[in-house]
């Protein structure tokens, strides 16, 4: 029979509650001391603020400064300007709900009379609607195209490293910094009958009277003023292209044209499309340049000029025309953003993921 060992203390029971033994002797599991469980502090649940509470102030401000004027213009466009006889009172009253009559009159170029509607006589504002639409899109297409080409060339030059680059950039932005009214008057004197243009060309062109010379004069003045704006936006895109890409292309044997078409154009596309979007929206609402240079010449009247002229004769009909202008600009902006990639953030994200070239 084995003799009991003397002097070896017995292990405490393993099922003893942890933390009940005094002193450093704690319950042991597998020869290791167990740390007593510390009480978990009770955290009070904080009340969360809905996310829409942070967005609500901005949405209210936008609704006040954007949605209300737009809604007010639409409401006014559905009321007439002419005085009509109220059968209940026997008095002539101004306005009255007419629905979409103002829109149909602009689109069909018809004018209201006491006996009904007739085609608007030549020289009236109602007869200038489609001519103004043509002028607006003609000026927009030609000026934006020329300003993009000229602005791109200016940006490529300003992106180079050479002495006097800062002075060149500052001088290029001078035409854009000049107020449009001053620019219009400047070019009005240049294209006057005895102005600088006829003196240099040795001609006697009626720049401010003949339809096509007047349109050409407005295009020249607008390109001179706004091409620096395009150059500034495109230059910002060019400066985002790493120089290492060009150096690697040179090592691979790519010539200047290949570097331009394979590197510069794809990488500068987001900034280029945003510049075209901004300039297109600005050109579609062109007013001050043709209004100051050519006055009320129907050959150069844009839709914005027509809105201001109609405002002097009837606010409700002018509201219908301004609503049409808004829809045209919105449709053009939607096409540029949705189908032509004028969303710089989305395009750059796709380029980073390798989804687009």
């Amino acid at each position: 029979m084995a003799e009991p060992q003397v002097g070896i203390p017995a292990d405490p029971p393993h099922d003893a509650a942890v933390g009940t033994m005094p002193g450093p002797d704690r319950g042991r599991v597998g020869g290791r001391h167990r740390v007593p469980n510390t009480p978990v502090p009770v955290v009070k649940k904080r009340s969360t603020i809905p996310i829409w509470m942070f967005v609500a102030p901005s949405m209210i401000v936008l609704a006040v400064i954007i949605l209300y004027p737009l809604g007010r213009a639409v409401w006014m466009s559905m009321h007439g300007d002419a005085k009509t006889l109220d059968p209940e009172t026997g008095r002539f009253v101004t306005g009255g709900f007419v629905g979409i009559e103002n829109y149909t009159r602009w689109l069909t170029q018809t004018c209201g009379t006491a006996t009904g509607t007739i085609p608007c006589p030549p020289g009236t504002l109602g007869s200038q609607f489609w001519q103004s639409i043509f002028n607006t899109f003609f000026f927009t297409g030609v000026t934006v195209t020329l300003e993009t080409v000229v602005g791109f060339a200016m940006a490529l030059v300003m992106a180079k490293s050479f002495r006097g680059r800062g002075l060149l950039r500052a001088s290029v932005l001078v035409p854009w910094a000049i107020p449009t009214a001053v620019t219009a008057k400047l070019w009005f004197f240049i294209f006057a009958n005895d102005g600088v243009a006829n003196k240099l060309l040795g001609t006697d062109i009626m720049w401010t009277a003949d339809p096509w010379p007047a349109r050409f004069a407005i295009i020249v003045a607008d390109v001179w003023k706004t091409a620096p704006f395009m150059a500034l936006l495109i230059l910002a895109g060019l400066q985002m292209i790493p120089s290492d890409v060009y150096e690697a292309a040179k090592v691979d044997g790519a010539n200047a044209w290949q570097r331009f078409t394979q590197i510069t154009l794809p990488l500068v596309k987001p900034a280029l499309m945003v510049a075209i979007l901004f300039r297109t929206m600005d050109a579609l609402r062109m007013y001050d340049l043709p209004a100051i240079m050519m006055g009320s010449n129907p050959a150069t009247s844009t839709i914005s000029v027509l809105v201001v002229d109609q405002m002097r004769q009837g606010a409700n009909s002018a509201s219908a025309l301004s609503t049409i202008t808004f829809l045209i600009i919105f449709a053009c902006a939607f096409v540029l953003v949705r189908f032509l990639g004028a969303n710089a953030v989305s395009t750059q994200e796709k380029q980073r993921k390798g989804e687009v070239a």
Side-chain angles (χ1 to χ4, degrees), residues 132-149:
S132 300
I133 292 291
F134 168 77
N135 292 337
T136 301
F137 279 97
F138 176 74
F139 288 148
T140 301
V142 176
T143 57
V144 172
T145 302
L146 293 177
E147 288 162 6
T148 301
V149 174

Side-chain angles (χ1 to χ4, degrees), residues 298-354:
T300 59
S301 176
T302 63
I303 192 170
S304 296
V305 175
L306 191 62
V307 169
V308 176
D309 292 341
Q310 178 61 35
M311 197 71 185
R312 301 185 180 99
Q313 300 184 10
N316 294 332
S317 182
S319 298
L321 188 57
S322 63
T323 304
I324 295 175
T325 306
F326 166 77
L327 294 176
I328 292 174
I329 296 175
F330 179 81
C332 293
F334 178 79
V335 171
L336 287 174
V337 173
R338 181 64 179 85
F339 299 104
L340 299 182
N343 190 338
V345 177
S346 176
T347 305
Q348 289 178 342
E349 183 66 19
K350 290 180 180 180
Q351 285 182 345
R352 186 182 64 82
K353 295 180 180 180

Side-chain angles (χ1 to χ4, degrees), residues 6-27:
V6 181
I8 300 177
D11 291 337
H14 296 294
D15 56 352
V18 178
T20 57
M21 298 182 63
D25 294 332
R26 300 181 178 92

Side-chain angles (χ1 to χ4, degrees), residues 29 79 93 96 126 137 141 167 173 175 183 212 244 249 252 268 283 291 295 336 357:
V29 177
H79 291 74
V93 294
F137 279 97
L167 180 61
L173 295 178
T183 301
W212 284 106
D244 298 341
D252 292 338
V268 84
L336 287 174

Side-chain angles (χ1 to χ4, degrees), residues 22-75:
D25 294 332
R26 300 181 178 92
R28 293 186 299 172
V29 177
R32 296 180 180 180
H33 294 285
R34 291 193 304 175
V35 179
N37 295 331
T38 57
V40 179
V42 178
V43 180
K44 294 183 179 180
K45 186 177 181 181
R46 297 181 180 179
S47 58
T48 58
I49 301 177
I51 298 178
W52 63 268
M53 291 290 291
F54 297 95
V55 186
S58 300
M59 298 303 296
I60 294 174
V61 173
L62 291 176
V64 171
I65 64 177
I66 296 178
L67 295 182
Y68 173 74
L70 180 61
R72 179 63 177 172
V74 174
W75 174 255

Side-chain angles (χ1 to χ4, degrees), residues 54-301:
F54 297 95
V55 186
S58 300
M59 298 303 296
I60 294 174
V61 173
L62 291 176
V64 171
I65 64 177
I66 296 178
L67 295 182
Y68 173 74
L70 180 61
R72 179 63 177 172
V74 174
W75 174 255
M76 291 177 61
S77 67
M78 295 183 179
H79 291 74
D81 291 316
K83 291 185 177 181
T84 58
L85 182 64
D86 189 354
E88 297 181 357
T89 61
R91 297 181 178 180
F92 285 96
V93 294
T94 303
F97 187 80
V98 296
I100 61 173
E101 182 178 343
N102 288 327
Y103 296 93
T104 57
R105 286 186 178 181
W106 281 116
L107 296 175
T108 58
Q109 296 189 157
T110 55
C111 298
T113 62
T115 58
T117 58
I118 60 172
C120 294
T124 59
L125 296 180
S127 64
Q128 300 177 14
F129 175 76
W130 289 110
Q131 180 66 47
S132 300
I133 292 291
F134 168 77
N135 292 337
T136 301
F137 279 97
F138 176 74
F139 288 148
T140 301
V142 176
T143 57
V144 172
T145 302
L146 293 177
E147 288 162 6
T148 301
V149 174
V150 175
F152 209 125
M154 295 167 62
L156 290 175
V157 174
M158 291 187 294
K160 303 292 184 180
S161 297
F162 55 90
R163 180 173 297 182
R165 183 178 63 175
L167 180 61
L168 175 63
R169 291 181 178 181
S171 60
V172 164
L173 295 178
V174 169
W176 180 55
I178 297 176
T180 307
V182 178
T183 301
K185 276 301 180 182
L186 171 65
W187 285 96
F188 172 79
F189 292 122
I190 292 176
F191 286 109
N193 296 337
D194 55 349
V196 178
N198 282 333
K199 296 293 184 181
L200 292 178
L201 298 176
T203 58
D204 193 18
I205 301 175
M206 303 291 290
W207 295 101
T208 59
D210 293 340
W212 284 106
R215 296 187 183 108
F216 178 76
I218 291 178
I219 290 172
V220 171
D222 191 69
V223 171
W224 179 83
K225 174 175 176 54
T226 321
F229 172 75
M230 299 288 287
L232 183 65
L233 295 181
I234 298 173
L235 177 62
L238 290 175
Q239 290 180 337
M240 298 297 295
I241 302 177
S243 59
D244 298 341
V245 179
Y246 291 103
E247 295 177 0
K250 291 179 181 179
V251 172
D252 292 338
N255 55 33
W257 177 251
Q258 290 174 336
R259 294 195 300 269
F260 176 75
T261 57
Q262 301 298 325
I263 298 176
T264 304
L265 280 180
L267 295 182
V268 84
K269 180 183 176 182
L272 179 63
M273 295 307 300
V274 170
I276 294 175
L277 172 64
F278 286 168
R279 185 65 198 113
T280 301
M281 296 176 63
D282 188 43
L284 286 173
R285 54 186 180 85
M286 182 190 302
Y287 167 74
D288 40 9
L289 192 62
I292 298 175
M293 281 188 65
M294 304 300 170
S296 299
N297 189 350
T300 59
S301 176

